[in-house]
Amino acid sequence: MINQMPPVLSDGELVLRAKAGDLDAFDALTTRHERRVYSLAMRMLRQEQDAEDVTQQTFLSVVEHLDRFRGESSLSTWLLRIATYAALKIIRKRKGLDIVSLEEATEPSDHSDTIPHPEFIADWRQSPEQLVETREIRRLLDEALTQLDEKHRLVFLLRDVEGLSIKETAAALGLSEANTKMRLLRARLQLREQLTQTLGDPATQLIRSHNHPR
Amino acid sequence: MKCEELLRMLNEYVDGTVDPAICEEFEKHMAGCDPCQVVVDNIRKTITLYKNGQPYELPVAFRSKLHATLREKWKEKHPIK
Ligand SMILES: [Zn+2]
């Protein structure tokens, strides 16, 4: 059978067709979203085999539960939630935690009032647009992410890499919004620190005075 | 506003969800505080850099296996009448 589906069908239209049993439409949806799901899994788990498992589980779950997707969120948000849930299961298994949620598993310091202070403050030598995706930059970004605590990394991945809202990120990870925001702040500050160490121009480095007048 | 308070509002400011009155104070502080200004700029660039990151490609062998598995599962779920 020749697939005559035009390439520009929206997710919504493809979902409708898939719900009606159209395998080509489902296949097109998978093709459209598989890299995003796989990338999230790779960034969360940093292990190819596990990322493949998560990707497969996610789309198998779509076959099973597509009729439950009502379109309150975008399809990609829905997929990322399913993938996050599957990835968290693997993370918990790795840690030997069965029932404990990510929230419960964290130390109380998360609720403390201290925010890490920026140390190395300097303008970057290049804009993000100039920093084209070279292998070096990619490694730098991956390494900085690896340095983060898992709980901070997961929030950053969903919110800033995948573009979920705070609310969606909190829901996907089973966290409160306040906790999600605090983790995001820590993640952003820590990544800024790391990247600026490499990308900052030492000639523009600023020293923050301890007793700032304001 | 002190540097410390500014740090606390960083998310809201960078994401554009900060209360307008606080936003004004935030910007007033930045205008007189170079370190905070640079930190905010660094943070924005950090986010942009990650946001623009290239996705990982599925290994080719995995991808074909995935699609075959899904097709099979689909046919189980939607048997041809
Ligand atoms: Zn300041």
Side-chain angles (χ1 to χ4, degrees), chain A residues 18 21-23 26-27 30-31 34-35 38-39 43 52 56 59-60 63-64 113 115 117-118 121-122 124 128 133 138 141-142 144-145 156 159-160 181 185 188 191-192 196 206 208 212 214, chain B residues 1-4 7-8 10-12 15 28-29 32-36 38-39 42-43 45-51 53-59 62-63 66-67 69-71 73-75 77-78:
Chain A
D22 182 343
L23 174 54
F26 172 69
D27 206 55
T30 307
T31 301
E34 63 195 5
R35 289 196 313 169
Y38 179 73
S39 297
R43 291 182 176 120
E52 291 180 1
Q56 175 152 325
F59 287 102
L60 282 175
V63 175
E64 204 56 48
D113 274 351
I115 295 169
H117 274 252
I121 302 172
W124 286 12
E133 190 79 23
R138 186 162 184 161
L141 297 185
D142 282 349
L145 266 182
F156 182 81
R159 173 69 187 91
D160 282 342
K181 284 187 198 168
L185 181 58
R188 285 172 166 180
L191 290 172
R192 184 212 72 83
T196 306
L206 296 168
R208 193 193 284 274
H212 197 270
R214 284 163 185 267
Chain B
M1 188 181 275
K2 297 199 181 86
C3 298
E4 171 82 20
L7 273 185
R8 273 173 204 289
L10 209 58
N11 278 344
E12 286 76 10
D15 295 338
K28 217 171 93 194
H29 175 98
C33 179
D34 287 348
C36 280
V38 173
V39 166
N42 288 167
I43 292 260
K45 287 177 175 162
T46 298
I47 297 170
T48 306
L49 210 48
Y50 277 102
K51 206 160 261 171
Q54 292 297 309
Y56 285 84
E57 293 294 337
L58 280 68
F62 166 63
R63 184 172 187 273
L66 172 70
H67 281 255
T69 307
L70 291 174
R71 233 171 265 134
K73 180 83 177 173
W74 183 272
K75 285 174 182 158
K77 179 96 177 159
H78 306 273

XYZ file of all heavy atoms in Angstrom, chain A residues 18 21-23 26-27 30-31 34-35 38-39 43 52 56 59-60 63-64 113 115 117-118 121-122 124 128 133 138 141-142 144-145 156 159-160 181 185 188 191-192 196 206 208 212 214, chain B residues 1-4 7-8 10-12 15 28-29 32-36 38-39 42-43 45-51 53-59 62-63 66-67 69-71 73-75 77-78:
797
model
N -5.045 8.054 13.926
C -4.510 6.894 14.656
C -5.582 6.317 15.574
O -5.731 5.102 15.686
C -3.268 7.298 15.449
N -7.651 3.976 14.070
C -7.022 2.715 13.696
C -6.043 2.788 12.529
O -5.616 1.762 12.006
N -5.667 4.000 12.137
C -4.771 4.171 10.989
C -3.308 3.988 11.424
O -2.725 4.850 12.082
C -4.998 5.579 10.413
C -4.142 5.854 9.185
O -3.155 5.114 8.956
O -4.449 6.812 8.461
N -2.738 2.867 11.022
C -1.368 2.538 11.420
C -0.351 3.514 10.831
O 0.616 3.883 11.497
C -1.033 1.098 11.002
C 0.399 0.606 11.194
C 0.891 0.794 12.620
C 0.516 -0.859 10.803
N -0.178 6.548 12.949
C 0.574 6.270 14.179
C 2.068 6.220 13.897
O 2.881 6.757 14.652
C 0.104 4.952 14.803
C 0.967 4.510 15.948
C 0.972 5.216 17.144
C 1.818 3.416 15.817
C 1.795 4.825 18.192
C 2.639 3.029 16.855
C 2.631 3.734 18.052
N 2.427 5.586 12.809
C 3.832 5.487 12.431
C 4.429 6.881 12.185
O 5.562 7.165 12.582
C 3.965 4.613 11.179
C 5.327 3.957 11.106
O 5.701 3.271 12.081
O 6.022 4.147 10.090
N 5.031 8.520 15.497
C 6.223 7.951 16.126
C 7.479 8.564 15.508
O 8.381 9.024 16.219
C 6.245 6.424 15.962
O 5.009 5.897 16.445
C 7.396 5.801 16.730
N 7.512 8.583 14.184
C 8.674 9.135 13.491
C 8.895 10.595 13.884
O 10.029 11.023 14.096
C 8.474 9.034 11.969
O 8.294 7.652 11.642
C 9.656 9.596 11.210
N 9.940 10.493 17.999
C 10.833 9.495 18.609
C 12.179 10.090 19.042
O 12.721 9.708 20.075
C 11.058 8.304 17.660
C 11.749 8.690 16.362
C 11.658 7.612 15.283
O 10.974 6.595 15.488
O 12.279 7.822 14.212
N 12.699 11.039 18.269
C 14.010 11.585 18.637
C 13.934 12.382 19.927
O 14.848 12.392 20.738
C 14.556 12.482 17.519
C 14.985 11.691 16.299
C 15.843 12.505 15.393
N 15.268 13.824 15.164
C 15.904 14.823 14.582
N 17.135 14.670 14.180
N 15.319 15.984 14.408
N 13.607 9.873 22.771
C 14.891 9.193 22.956
C 15.937 10.145 23.562
O 16.697 9.766 24.453
C 15.374 8.635 21.614
C 16.697 7.926 21.668
C 16.805 6.668 22.250
C 17.845 8.506 21.139
C 18.026 6.009 22.313
C 19.069 7.854 21.184
C 19.159 6.610 21.774
O 20.368 5.962 21.831
N 15.951 11.378 23.096
C 16.925 12.345 23.606
C 16.703 12.621 25.090
O 17.654 12.687 25.866
C 16.823 13.673 22.852
O 17.143 13.483 21.506
N 19.350 11.820 27.984
C 19.849 12.847 28.912
C 19.515 12.510 30.355
O 20.254 12.857 31.263
C 19.294 14.219 28.517
C 19.880 14.725 27.207
C 19.370 16.110 26.852
N 20.040 16.582 25.639
C 19.415 16.913 24.509
N 18.094 16.835 24.433
N 20.093 17.312 23.462
N 16.786 3.287 25.065
C 16.005 2.526 24.087
C 14.787 1.894 24.755
O 13.681 1.921 24.213
C 16.885 1.451 23.432
C 17.959 2.054 22.531
C 18.840 0.998 21.863
O 18.600 -0.214 22.081
O 19.747 1.396 21.126
N 10.924 2.646 23.708
C 9.996 1.592 23.296
C 8.774 1.538 24.223
O 7.640 1.484 23.761
C 10.713 0.241 23.270
C 9.748 -0.905 22.960
C 10.440 -2.070 22.281
O 11.363 -1.882 21.489
N 10.007 -3.276 22.585
N 6.273 4.401 23.454
C 5.411 4.270 22.279
C 4.490 3.050 22.365
O 3.382 3.080 21.828
C 6.244 4.311 20.996
C 6.761 5.695 20.704
C 8.075 6.042 20.981
C 5.918 6.676 20.192
C 8.545 7.334 20.747
C 6.371 7.968 19.948
C 7.689 8.294 20.230
N 4.931 2.015 23.062
C 4.018 0.891 23.307
C 2.837 1.358 24.142
O 1.690 0.971 23.910
C 4.739 -0.261 24.022
C 5.627 -1.157 23.162
C 6.360 -2.177 24.024
C 4.814 -1.870 22.083
N 0.359 3.036 21.947
C -0.505 2.078 21.242
C -1.643 1.659 22.174
O -2.811 1.610 21.793
C 0.288 0.817 20.811
C -0.646 -0.215 20.183
C 1.404 1.184 19.849
N -1.261 1.400 23.410
C -2.224 0.891 24.385
C -3.235 1.957 24.824
O -4.415 1.671 24.977
C -1.422 0.378 25.603
C -2.105 -0.659 26.439
C -2.544 -1.889 25.648
O -1.721 -2.442 24.864
O -3.701 -2.282 25.811
N 17.114 27.916 52.735
C 17.046 29.222 52.112
C 18.314 29.626 51.370
O 18.363 30.670 50.767
C 16.729 30.278 53.180
C 15.223 30.383 53.377
O 14.493 29.772 52.579
O 14.803 31.060 54.324
N 21.020 29.948 48.628
C 21.158 29.806 47.184
C 22.649 29.925 46.891
O 23.311 30.813 47.430
C 20.387 30.922 46.453
C 18.891 30.782 46.724
C 20.662 30.894 44.963
C 18.095 31.972 46.257
N 25.938 31.138 45.576
C 26.258 32.428 44.976
C 27.152 32.300 43.763
O 28.068 31.495 43.758
C 26.885 33.351 46.020
C 25.846 34.077 46.799
N 25.586 35.413 46.652
C 24.943 33.606 47.686
C 24.571 35.745 47.435
N 24.170 34.658 48.074
N 26.864 33.091 42.753
C 27.714 33.054 41.559
C 29.147 33.417 41.936
O 29.359 34.361 42.689
C 27.111 34.129 40.658
C 25.709 34.288 41.118
C 25.739 34.024 42.594
N 32.127 35.416 37.448
C 31.184 36.259 36.715
C 31.942 36.972 35.606
O 32.834 37.782 35.872
C 30.541 37.289 37.669
C 29.833 36.561 38.836
C 29.550 38.172 36.909
C 29.340 37.495 39.922
N 31.619 36.643 34.385
C 32.296 37.269 33.248
C 31.410 37.162 32.024
O 30.607 36.237 31.907
C 33.634 36.570 32.984
N 30.479 36.243 28.282
C 30.924 35.147 27.417
C 31.625 35.718 26.191
O 31.265 36.778 25.693
C 29.725 34.289 26.971
C 29.201 33.424 28.075
C 29.503 33.504 29.403
C 28.266 32.348 27.942
N 28.823 32.539 30.097
C 28.058 31.821 29.229
C 27.591 31.772 26.850
C 27.193 30.746 29.463
C 26.739 30.716 27.079
C 26.546 30.211 28.373
N 25.409 32.530 22.138
C 24.965 31.149 21.899
C 24.843 30.844 20.402
O 25.084 29.730 19.962
C 23.592 31.094 22.573
C 23.621 32.159 23.603
C 24.495 33.245 23.037
N 26.824 24.256 17.243
C 26.876 22.940 17.872
C 28.089 22.132 17.397
O 27.993 21.266 16.552
C 25.575 22.218 17.532
C 25.303 20.942 18.256
C 24.787 21.143 19.661
O 24.237 22.208 19.957
O 24.940 20.199 20.431
N 29.124 20.488 22.558
C 28.198 19.451 22.998
C 28.754 18.703 24.212
O 28.048 18.401 25.151
C 27.937 18.489 21.846
C 26.888 17.501 22.211
C 26.303 16.839 20.993
N 25.241 15.970 21.449
C 24.291 15.504 20.691
N 24.249 15.840 19.429
N 23.376 14.718 21.180
N 28.466 20.894 27.268
C 27.096 20.941 27.792
C 26.755 19.641 28.512
O 26.170 19.655 29.599
C 26.090 21.184 26.668
C 26.194 22.513 25.907
C 25.062 22.649 24.907
C 26.182 23.699 26.862
N 27.124 18.524 27.901
C 26.827 17.228 28.527
C 27.567 17.065 29.842
O 27.016 16.579 30.821
C 27.206 16.076 27.580
C 26.169 15.872 26.496
O 25.070 16.471 26.616
O 26.425 15.131 25.531
N 28.657 19.419 31.846
C 28.096 20.304 32.875
C 26.810 19.692 33.440
O 26.572 19.734 34.645
C 27.820 21.689 32.286
N 26.009 19.101 32.561
C 24.771 18.451 33.021
C 25.080 17.279 33.945
O 24.395 17.062 34.945
C 23.986 17.912 31.826
C 22.907 18.790 31.208
C 22.232 18.041 30.077
C 21.878 19.220 32.241
N 15.808 20.559 35.256
C 16.357 21.397 34.180
C 16.042 20.805 32.805
O 15.664 21.521 31.872
C 17.875 21.562 34.361
C 18.494 22.457 33.325
C 18.429 23.833 33.465
C 19.121 21.925 32.213
C 18.976 24.671 32.499
C 19.676 22.753 31.242
C 19.604 24.129 31.394
N 12.220 21.300 32.092
C 11.805 22.700 31.969
C 12.566 23.423 30.859
O 11.972 24.023 29.978
C 12.025 23.414 33.314
C 11.790 24.916 33.294
C 10.322 25.241 33.106
N 10.083 26.662 32.922
C 10.064 27.252 31.735
N 10.248 26.551 30.639
N 9.839 28.545 31.635
N 13.872 23.379 30.892
C 14.645 24.227 29.986
C 15.061 23.543 28.685
O 15.137 24.190 27.651
C 15.884 24.778 30.697
C 15.518 25.945 31.613
O 14.415 26.507 31.431
O 16.316 26.292 32.496
N 10.679 24.843 41.337
C 11.303 26.145 41.059
C 12.666 26.263 41.742
O 13.611 26.789 41.172
C 10.404 27.276 41.559
C 9.213 27.526 40.663
C 8.482 28.761 41.153
C 7.075 28.813 40.594
N 6.262 29.827 41.266
N 16.242 26.737 39.857
C 17.148 27.846 40.135
C 18.564 27.332 40.412
O 19.545 27.839 39.872
C 16.620 28.657 41.326
C 17.453 29.874 41.742
C 17.602 30.846 40.569
C 16.822 30.588 42.928
N 20.124 26.037 37.159
C 20.530 27.116 36.255
C 21.799 27.808 36.765
O 22.699 28.118 35.992
C 19.399 28.135 36.135
C 18.245 27.654 35.262
C 17.079 28.611 35.336
N 16.089 28.376 34.293
C 14.972 29.103 34.153
N 14.719 30.078 34.998
N 14.129 28.847 33.170
N 24.831 25.455 36.316
C 25.240 25.328 34.911
C 25.892 26.622 34.431
O 26.877 26.601 33.699
C 24.038 24.970 34.028
C 23.489 23.560 34.220
C 22.185 23.379 33.452
C 24.508 22.508 33.767
N 25.326 27.746 34.848
C 25.927 29.031 34.495
C 27.376 29.087 34.960
O 28.277 29.488 34.237
C 25.149 30.188 35.136
C 25.663 31.574 34.724
C 25.504 32.602 35.814
N 26.443 32.392 36.904
C 27.719 32.827 36.898
N 28.198 33.495 35.863
N 28.512 32.566 37.912
N 30.403 29.250 32.344
C 31.141 30.513 32.322
C 32.628 30.279 32.596
O 33.484 31.003 32.083
C 30.523 31.518 33.317
O 29.133 31.658 33.025
C 31.173 32.884 33.206
N 34.237 40.009 36.716
C 33.830 40.965 37.741
C 33.898 40.304 39.102
O 33.555 39.142 39.250
C 32.387 41.421 37.502
C 32.128 42.188 36.205
C 30.632 42.301 35.963
C 32.769 43.564 36.265
N 32.388 40.341 42.768
C 31.256 40.865 43.525
C 31.756 41.273 44.907
O 32.351 40.454 45.611
C 30.191 39.782 43.650
C 28.868 40.290 44.133
C 28.005 39.133 44.532
N 27.444 38.415 43.385
C 26.325 38.763 42.777
N 25.667 39.826 43.174
N 25.862 38.056 41.780
N 27.695 44.688 49.172
C 27.118 45.495 48.122
C 26.221 46.552 48.720
O 25.414 46.257 49.599
C 26.316 44.587 47.174
C 26.030 45.245 45.881
N 24.906 45.976 45.700
C 26.729 45.296 44.732
C 24.917 46.457 44.468
N 26.004 46.047 43.857
N 23.644 48.092 47.697
C 22.200 48.045 47.527
C 21.608 46.947 48.363
O 21.174 45.992 47.938
C 21.876 47.836 46.037
C 22.069 49.105 45.291
C 22.166 48.844 43.798
N 22.479 50.070 43.102
C 21.535 50.874 42.597
N 20.282 50.591 42.705
N 21.910 51.983 41.961
N 16.311 46.473 46.559
C 16.564 45.051 46.312
C 18.052 44.750 46.459
O 18.890 45.496 45.959
C 16.083 44.680 44.908
C 16.113 43.197 44.630
S 15.570 42.771 42.961
C 13.811 42.684 43.149
N 18.365 43.659 47.152
C 19.764 43.251 47.304
C 20.078 42.163 46.272
O 19.178 41.524 45.741
C 20.000 42.687 48.707
C 19.788 43.696 49.829
C 20.500 43.178 51.078
C 20.313 44.124 52.255
N 19.070 43.868 52.990
N 21.372 41.910 46.072
C 21.788 40.883 45.113
C 21.120 39.541 45.434
O 20.651 38.833 44.542
C 23.301 40.710 45.123
S 24.203 42.191 44.639
N 21.112 39.232 46.713
C 20.529 37.975 47.176
C 19.045 37.856 46.776
O 18.593 36.820 46.298
C 20.690 37.909 48.707
C 19.956 36.789 49.399
C 20.711 35.474 49.348
O 21.937 35.497 49.129
O 20.055 34.427 49.524
N 18.730 37.244 43.111
C 18.992 35.842 42.771
C 17.738 34.992 42.945
O 17.439 34.118 42.147
C 20.093 35.272 43.668
C 21.537 35.459 43.248
C 22.453 34.712 44.206
C 21.784 34.984 41.824
N 17.002 35.289 44.013
C 15.791 34.522 44.290
C 14.716 34.698 43.228
O 13.900 33.804 43.013
C 15.198 34.962 45.632
C 15.770 34.225 46.766
C 15.323 34.771 48.094
N 16.320 34.393 49.062
C 16.484 33.134 49.475
N 15.673 32.199 49.052
N 17.449 32.842 50.293
N 15.315 35.264 40.104
C 15.941 35.048 38.803
C 15.066 34.244 37.831
O 14.878 34.649 36.684
C 17.262 34.304 39.032
C 18.380 34.532 38.041
C 18.736 36.001 37.971
C 19.614 33.747 38.489
N 14.525 33.132 38.307
C 13.666 32.305 37.448
C 12.532 33.127 36.848
O 12.319 33.116 35.644
C 13.019 31.169 38.251
C 13.939 29.987 38.430
O 14.943 29.863 37.736
N 13.594 29.117 39.361
N 11.828 33.805 37.756
C 10.640 34.542 37.325
C 11.032 35.638 36.334
O 10.324 35.876 35.369
C 9.919 35.150 38.528
C 9.154 34.143 39.379
C 10.043 33.284 40.273
O 11.260 33.585 40.376
O 9.536 32.307 40.855
N 12.144 34.022 32.989
C 11.010 33.395 32.307
C 9.889 34.383 31.988
O 8.875 33.995 31.413
C 10.453 32.238 33.152
C 11.458 31.104 33.300
O 12.363 31.006 32.450
O 11.347 30.323 34.265
N 16.102 48.009 38.070
C 16.791 49.133 38.721
C 18.084 48.630 39.393
O 19.139 49.229 39.281
C 15.868 49.778 39.765
C 16.010 51.292 39.826
C 14.943 51.921 40.709
C 15.416 52.096 42.147
N 14.298 52.397 43.075
N 17.954 47.507 40.066
C 19.131 46.928 40.706
C 20.196 46.574 39.658
O 21.372 46.907 39.822
C 18.763 45.679 41.506
C 19.963 44.981 42.092
N 20.363 45.163 43.394
C 20.874 44.135 41.539
C 21.464 44.460 43.612
N 21.787 43.812 42.499
N 22.450 49.222 38.293
C 23.535 49.714 39.140
C 24.461 48.615 39.636
O 25.284 48.856 40.506
N 24.285 47.411 39.130
C 25.082 46.297 39.645
C 25.549 45.418 38.491
O 24.807 44.563 38.017
C 24.245 45.490 40.651
S 25.136 44.073 41.332
N 26.782 45.656 38.067
C 27.303 44.896 36.928
C 27.313 43.383 37.137
O 26.913 42.642 36.239
C 28.720 45.376 36.570
C 28.688 46.740 35.906
O 27.582 47.169 35.526
O 29.752 47.366 35.791
N 27.777 42.896 38.306
C 27.801 41.435 38.468
C 26.421 40.806 38.240
O 26.304 39.800 37.532
C 28.267 41.236 39.918
C 29.069 42.453 40.218
C 28.388 43.558 39.474
N 25.377 41.380 38.821
C 24.043 40.804 38.637
C 23.637 40.846 37.169
O 23.034 39.904 36.652
C 23.003 41.541 39.486
S 23.051 40.996 41.210
N 25.559 40.711 34.570
C 26.290 39.686 33.829
C 25.743 38.292 34.164
O 25.588 37.451 33.275
C 27.811 39.776 34.098
C 28.555 38.602 33.457
C 28.362 41.091 33.579
N 25.427 38.082 35.431
C 24.877 36.772 35.818
C 23.570 36.502 35.069
O 23.366 35.422 34.519
C 24.664 36.683 37.353
C 23.790 35.490 37.713
C 26.007 36.568 38.060
N 24.421 35.718 31.527
C 24.994 34.354 31.456
C 23.896 33.296 31.541
O 23.918 32.304 30.810
C 25.937 34.087 32.640
C 27.262 34.826 32.577
O 27.980 34.884 33.567
N 27.605 35.392 31.436
N 22.962 33.507 32.456
C 21.880 32.530 32.657
C 21.029 32.418 31.394
O 20.698 31.321 30.945
C 20.975 32.938 33.846
C 21.749 32.824 35.160
C 19.685 32.124 33.867
C 21.487 31.586 35.968
N 21.909 32.997 28.383
C 22.685 32.317 27.340
C 22.797 30.830 27.617
O 22.765 30.005 26.698
C 24.065 32.964 27.205
C 23.979 34.319 26.534
C 25.317 35.016 26.448
C 25.150 36.321 25.641
N 26.257 37.240 25.863
N 22.947 30.502 28.890
C 23.027 29.086 29.262
C 21.760 28.355 28.819
O 21.826 27.299 28.190
C 23.192 28.959 30.800
O 24.418 29.586 31.177
C 23.217 27.501 31.240
N 20.612 28.962 29.142
C 19.341 28.331 28.787
C 19.213 28.203 27.267
O 18.838 27.149 26.745
C 18.154 29.121 29.384
C 18.235 29.089 30.914
C 16.822 28.562 28.898
C 17.274 30.026 31.610
N 19.556 29.287 26.558
C 19.454 29.265 25.091
C 20.315 28.151 24.502
O 19.886 27.415 23.614
C 19.921 30.612 24.498
O 19.186 31.650 25.117
C 19.706 30.665 22.999
N 21.516 28.040 25.030
C 22.448 27.038 24.511
C 21.875 25.621 24.669
O 21.935 24.812 23.751
C 23.763 27.161 25.279
C 25.060 26.792 24.575
C 25.149 27.424 23.207
C 26.248 27.233 25.437
N 21.314 25.367 25.828
C 20.735 24.033 26.047
C 19.476 23.835 25.228
O 19.220 22.757 24.708
C 20.453 23.794 27.532
C 21.675 23.337 28.285
C 22.393 24.212 29.081
C 22.122 22.022 28.172
C 23.525 23.800 29.762
C 23.257 21.596 28.849
C 23.950 22.494 29.647
O 25.065 22.068 30.315
N 18.682 24.882 25.149
C 17.426 24.778 24.401
C 17.697 24.457 22.930
O 16.950 23.718 22.305
C 16.646 26.088 24.531
C 15.165 25.917 24.358
C 14.392 27.077 24.957
C 13.866 26.728 26.323
N 13.299 27.857 27.052
N 20.117 22.771 21.771
C 20.933 21.569 21.609
C 20.324 20.578 20.624
O 19.111 20.480 20.509
N 21.165 19.905 19.905
C 20.705 18.909 18.934
C 20.188 17.667 19.661
O 20.776 17.249 20.648
C 21.876 18.480 18.028
C 22.358 19.575 17.110
C 21.302 20.017 16.128
O 20.697 19.196 15.452
N 21.034 21.314 16.085
N 19.088 17.107 19.146
C 18.614 15.860 19.762
C 19.538 14.688 19.429
O 20.319 14.760 18.489
C 17.241 15.658 19.126
C 17.272 16.422 17.856
C 18.232 17.558 18.050
N 19.455 13.676 20.235
C 20.190 12.440 19.946
C 19.455 11.680 18.853
O 18.232 11.619 18.842
C 20.234 11.548 21.184
C 21.193 12.003 22.257
C 20.812 12.952 23.191
C 22.470 11.462 22.330
C 21.686 13.360 24.191
C 23.345 11.860 23.330
C 22.945 12.809 24.256
O 23.811 13.195 25.242
N 20.209 11.099 17.949
C 19.610 10.257 16.908
C 19.435 8.850 17.445
O 20.312 8.332 18.137
C 20.519 10.214 15.676
C 20.651 11.538 14.945
C 19.352 12.009 14.297
O 18.478 11.155 14.028
O 19.205 13.225 14.106
N 18.332 8.226 17.075
C 18.146 6.828 17.458
C 19.123 5.961 16.682
O 19.284 6.159 15.475
C 16.733 6.349 17.123
C 15.589 6.715 18.069
C 15.315 8.203 18.024
C 14.349 5.926 17.705
N 19.771 5.018 17.334
C 20.603 4.085 16.570
C 19.739 3.413 15.502
O 18.587 3.058 15.774
C 21.054 3.079 17.631
C 20.940 3.807 18.931
C 19.803 4.760 18.779
N 18.149 0.067 16.228
C 17.089 0.178 17.228
C 15.822 0.742 16.602
O 14.722 0.274 16.860
C 17.534 1.050 18.404
C 16.401 1.475 19.288
C 15.656 0.528 19.989
C 16.044 2.817 19.397
C 14.581 0.910 20.792
C 14.967 3.204 20.197
C 14.240 2.251 20.885
N 16.010 1.737 15.758
C 14.841 2.375 15.172
C 14.012 1.383 14.347
O 12.782 1.351 14.461
C 15.253 3.557 14.297
C 14.062 4.289 13.754
C 14.350 5.575 13.025
N 13.077 6.210 12.715
C 12.372 5.939 11.620
N 12.826 5.079 10.715
N 11.197 6.513 11.425
N 12.273 -0.956 16.700
C 11.181 -0.253 17.389
C 9.930 -0.198 16.519
O 8.832 -0.558 16.955
C 11.632 1.169 17.756
C 10.552 2.111 18.308
C 10.121 1.675 19.707
C 11.052 3.563 18.357
N 10.116 0.231 15.271
C 8.945 0.372 14.403
C 8.293 -0.976 14.104
O 7.069 -1.063 14.017
C 9.321 1.127 13.128
C 9.413 2.613 13.346
N 8.460 3.496 12.916
C 10.339 3.355 14.009
C 8.790 4.729 13.291
N 9.938 4.672 13.944
N 8.324 -3.600 16.122
C 7.621 -3.994 17.359
C 6.292 -3.254 17.490
O 5.271 -3.835 17.837
C 8.494 -3.670 18.595
O 9.779 -4.253 18.411
C 7.869 -4.182 19.868
N 6.340 -1.968 17.217
C 5.133 -1.156 17.374
C 4.054 -1.578 16.374
O 2.876 -1.654 16.703
C 5.464 0.327 17.194
C 6.322 0.946 18.303
C 6.714 2.383 17.952
C 5.591 0.922 19.641
N 4.494 -1.871 15.153
C 3.535 -2.289 14.120
C 2.833 -3.582 14.544
O 1.619 -3.720 14.396
C 4.267 -2.485 12.794
C 3.625 -1.686 11.662
C 4.485 -1.713 10.430
N 5.337 -0.533 10.374
C 6.629 -0.538 10.087
N 7.259 -1.681 9.835
N 7.301 0.581 10.052
N 2.458 -4.760 17.602
C 1.582 -4.457 18.736
C 0.294 -3.783 18.247
O -0.802 -4.056 18.739
C 2.347 -3.546 19.700
C 1.587 -3.134 20.917
C 1.646 -4.184 22.000
C 0.922 -3.686 23.252
N 0.825 -4.737 24.270
N 0.468 -2.881 17.295
C -0.679 -2.154 16.745
C -1.682 -3.122 16.113
O -2.892 -2.997 16.284
C -0.186 -1.144 15.707
C -1.278 -0.293 15.143
C -2.083 -0.566 14.070
C -1.721 0.976 15.634
N -2.979 0.434 13.861
C -2.780 1.405 14.817
C -1.314 1.789 16.699
C -3.442 2.611 15.003
C -1.979 2.993 16.880
C -3.027 3.395 16.049
N -1.147 -4.094 15.381
C -2.031 -5.050 14.695
C -2.763 -5.956 15.695
O -3.894 -6.354 15.455
C -1.242 -5.857 13.675
C -0.923 -5.025 12.448
C -0.008 -5.730 11.461
C 0.305 -4.815 10.287
N 1.539 -5.230 9.603
N -3.663 -4.920 18.592
C -4.645 -4.022 19.225
C -5.789 -3.693 18.254
O -6.907 -3.456 18.673
C -3.894 -2.757 19.664
C -4.741 -1.698 20.306
C -4.729 -1.777 21.819
C -5.550 -0.628 22.407
N -5.996 -0.896 23.771
N -5.457 -3.619 16.978
C -6.475 -3.289 15.972
C -6.557 -4.406 14.926
O -6.089 -4.224 13.805
C -6.126 -1.976 15.246
C -5.886 -0.829 16.166
N -6.888 -0.018 16.629
C -4.745 -0.356 16.729
C -6.372 0.909 17.433
N -5.081 0.723 17.510
